[in-house]
Amino acid sequence: MHVTGTAPRPAPAPSETPAAPVGDPQGSPSRHARRFGLPVATALVMGNIIGGGIFLLPASIAPYGTVSLVAFGVLTVGAIALALTFGKLAARDPRTGGPYVYARGAFGDFAGFLAAWSYWITTWVSNAALAVAAVGYLDVLIPVSGHRWTACLAALVIQWLPALANFAGTRYVGAVQLVSTVLKFVPLLLVAVGGLFFFDPSRLGPFNSSGQGAIGAVSASAALLLFSYLGVESAAVSAGEVQNARRNVGRATVIGTAGAALVYLLGTLAVFGTVAHHRLIHSTAPFSDAVNAMFGGNWGGWAVAIAALVSMTGCLNGWTLLSAQTSYAAARDGLFPATFARRRRGVPTTGVAVTVVLASLLTAYNYLSGSGRVFEVLVLVTTFTATVPYLLATAAQLFHLVSGRSASVDRGRLVRDAVVTSIAAAFSIWLMAGAGYAAVYQGALFLFAGVLVYAVMTARRHRTATPATQATPVAPVADGHTP
């Protein structure tokens, strides 16, 4: 049953050949446009999941003790379940758009719009947050934070460089994503693997130092870790640019999520075992402290700062593409302005431009207003808006499973798929609950503001689609008195 009162435009079958994108004459391939293979699609997932937060993560969860590693394990199970669900959905419908496509196909235009709208908000607000955080790491190498204009300019440059890579075409987007993912993993793996040789159990500290029960400690530390896995949908959102998407999107999503989880767990465990617990709680650069503890000297801060900058640049590169792909998919179906459907060199250029401009304005406002409070609230909102498309996508998978349509369900795997999807749905709800009351309240306001946008776009579609009906009055129904 569709949410809207009128029947939505039917989505094309997954087997249909998509129309040539606007801006790509005759759909002819460009030497700057290249479909992503499995390695690049996997790098997109891993690069977007692992941003700059991992470089502070061990210190953030250290106050809870090593019980936080249990929370990591629980969350990893949920993230893998979500990854498997996206793989199944992409195999059914391998078009660009990810959660938007799945929600619209199952529940109609309105649900699809909510998925696209909330995800689009998440991407460009997150980009602004990443750029501001990156300036903090840049300040270790080049002092820029002493003056707000200098810091603002640095944040804008950090945002626009990945945007320029997107404008250059998918060929360059993929290259930047692959290189940045490889470079960011070098220092992370150095700590994760090398730290095991310097591991000292006496530095781990107590199992539970939170002052509450084990279950409460797991839940509390999980609230800090919940959003470490945002980005698991990356390959699904860009499915239209992935070679053999029906197969590779699922593989890239699972491999990328599992790889990110492995780095998270090993890296955090290595830091716990190389930096004394009482020092780690107050550390502002835990990976730097771990490197210094392993090899001596003070060069760890520089190494981690460079790794964090590379990591965040890769994230910005990937999230900019995902933002543009989401708005492109919605515009292709008439739910976003048509200009978002324009593509050049395989990239929705209008979406890239709007994303980087909105993120830049938010960044500039953050620095020039002299207060980060509004910015902090907006960043918190993204923790809610990011989970809306997750929940809608898992609901779409449950819809296909419960509906029992032979074309959509492999009955031999029905029970397994239902269990996996249920875990993914619970994980999505847990993500939403972990955002907190304030984030859910503010996020709901952003979500409902989108309803007004949807009303305008739907009205324009109806006006364009039915000019004859509007021009010709309908004959009155005979009432028995008409001669």
Side-chain angles (χ1 to χ4, degrees), residues 74-104:
V74 174
L75 291 174
T76 298
V77 172
I80 294 294
L82 190 59
L84 290 169
T85 300
F86 276 121
K88 290 289 185 182
L89 289 166
R92 180 180 292 111
D93 192 344
R95 290 179 295 153
T96 292
Y100 158 74
V101 171
Y102 313 143
R104 181 174 180 262

Side-chain angles (χ1 to χ4, degrees), residues 343-364:
R343 297 207 305 182
R344 185 176 296 276
R345 299 173 175 175
V347 174
T349 50
T350 300
V352 171
V354 172
T355 294
V356 71
V357 167
L358 287 175
S360 297
L361 290 174
L362 182 56
T363 301

Side-chain angles (χ1 to χ4, degrees), residues 22-44:
V22 180
D24 288 341
Q26 288 82 43
S28 58
S30 165
R31 63 187 180 90
H32 300 286
R34 179 175 297 173
R35 292 169 71 85
F36 301 149
L38 180 60
V40 174
T42 302
L44 186 65

Side-chain angles (χ1 to χ4, degrees), residues 195-215:
L196 300 179
F197 294 96
F198 297 87
F199 191 87
D200 184 352
S202 65
R203 294 172 178 158
L204 289 175
F207 176 72
N208 182 3
S209 57
S210 65
Q212 52 187 314
I215 295 178

Side-chain angles (χ1 to χ4, degrees), residues 118 121-122 124-130 223-224 226-227 230 362 366 372-388 431-446:
S118 57
I121 290 174
T122 300
W124 62 264
V125 175
S126 296
N127 274 11
L130 277 169
L224 296 175
L226 279 171
F227 311 105
L230 294 183
L362 182 56
N366 174 68
R373 178 58 187 162
V374 174
F375 185 75
E376 290 172 1
V377 170
L378 290 174
V379 171
L380 190 61
V381 165
T382 64
T383 61
F384 167 80
T385 58
T387 59
V388 172
L431 281 170
M432 191 173 293
Y437 293 109
V440 172
Y441 169 73
Q442 298 286 347
L445 294 180
F446 271 83

Side-chain angles (χ1 to χ4, degrees), residues 42-388:
T42 302
L44 186 65
V45 175
M46 295 183 74
N48 285 351
I49 290 177
I50 300 179
I54 187 174
F55 296 97
L56 292 175
L57 204 56
S60 300
I61 61 177
Y64 298 98
T66 52
V67 70
S68 56
L69 297 177
V70 177
F72 247 136
V74 174
L75 291 174
T76 298
V77 172
I80 294 294
L82 190 59
L84 290 169
T85 300
F86 276 121
K88 290 289 185 182
L89 289 166
R92 180 180 292 111
D93 192 344
R95 290 179 295 153
T96 292
Y100 158 74
V101 171
Y102 313 143
R104 181 174 180 262
F107 309 119
D109 283 354
F110 186 64
F113 174 83
L114 288 181
W117 174 259
S118 57
Y119 193 77
W120 182 66
I121 290 174
T122 300
T123 52
W124 62 264
V125 175
S126 296
N127 274 11
L130 277 169
V132 172
V135 171
Y137 288 105
L138 180 63
D139 195 54
V140 176
L141 306 173
I142 306 172
V144 293
S145 296
H147 192 278
R148 70 173 60 176
W149 288 100
T150 306
C152 181
L153 179 61
L156 294 177
V157 170
I158 290 171
Q159 281 185 44
W160 277 88
L161 288 177
L164 293 177
N166 273 265
F167 283 125
T170 52
R171 175 181 180 180
Y172 299 97
V173 173
V176 170
Q177 198 65 31
L178 189 59
V179 171
S180 64
T181 300
V182 171
L183 291 179
K184 86 167 67 173
F185 275 101
V186 171
L188 291 176
L189 290 177
L190 173 66
V191 175
V193 178
L196 300 179
F197 294 96
F198 297 87
F199 191 87
D200 184 352
S202 65
R203 294 172 178 158
L204 289 175
F207 176 72
N208 182 3
S209 57
S210 65
Q212 52 187 314
I215 295 178
V218 169
S219 298
S221 57
L224 296 175
L225 299 170
L226 279 171
F227 311 105
S228 301
Y229 287 105
L230 294 183
V232 65
E233 74 292 341
S234 301
V237 173
S238 295
E241 312 305 326
V242 177
Q243 298 172 5
N244 192 11
R246 293 183 187 276
R247 181 183 182 189
N248 283 339
V249 166
R251 294 171 66 192
T253 302
V254 173
I255 294 172
T257 304
L262 184 62
V263 172
Y264 278 152
L265 288 168
L266 286 180
T268 303
L269 181 62
V271 173
F272 274 21
T274 53
V275 182
H277 183 258
H278 68 278
R279 288 185 54 208
L280 184 58
I281 293 176
H282 304 288
S283 175
T284 57
F287 274 81
S288 295
D289 292 340
V291 172
N292 292 338
M294 286 189 288
F295 305 107
N298 296 312
W299 56 274
W302 282 66
V304 171
I306 293 173
L309 284 172
V310 170
S311 178
M312 290 184 174
T313 300
C315 268
L316 284 166
N317 180 66
W319 281 108
T320 299
L321 176 65
L322 296 189
S323 178
Q325 296 284 31
T326 300
S327 55
Y328 162 79
R332 179 188 58 198
D333 297 326
L335 299 180
F336 265 45
T339 184
F340 283 95
R342 296 189 174 277
R343 297 207 305 182
R344 185 176 296 276
R345 299 173 175 175
V347 174
T349 50
T350 300
V352 171
V354 172
T355 294
V356 71
V357 167
L358 287 175
S360 297
L361 290 174
L362 182 56
T363 301
Y365 177 77
N366 174 68
Y367 279 108
L368 303 182
S369 65
S371 172
R373 178 58 187 162
V374 174
F375 185 75
E376 290 172 1
V377 170
L378 290 174
V379 171
L380 190 61
V381 165
T382 64
T383 61
F384 167 80
T385 58
T387 59
V388 172

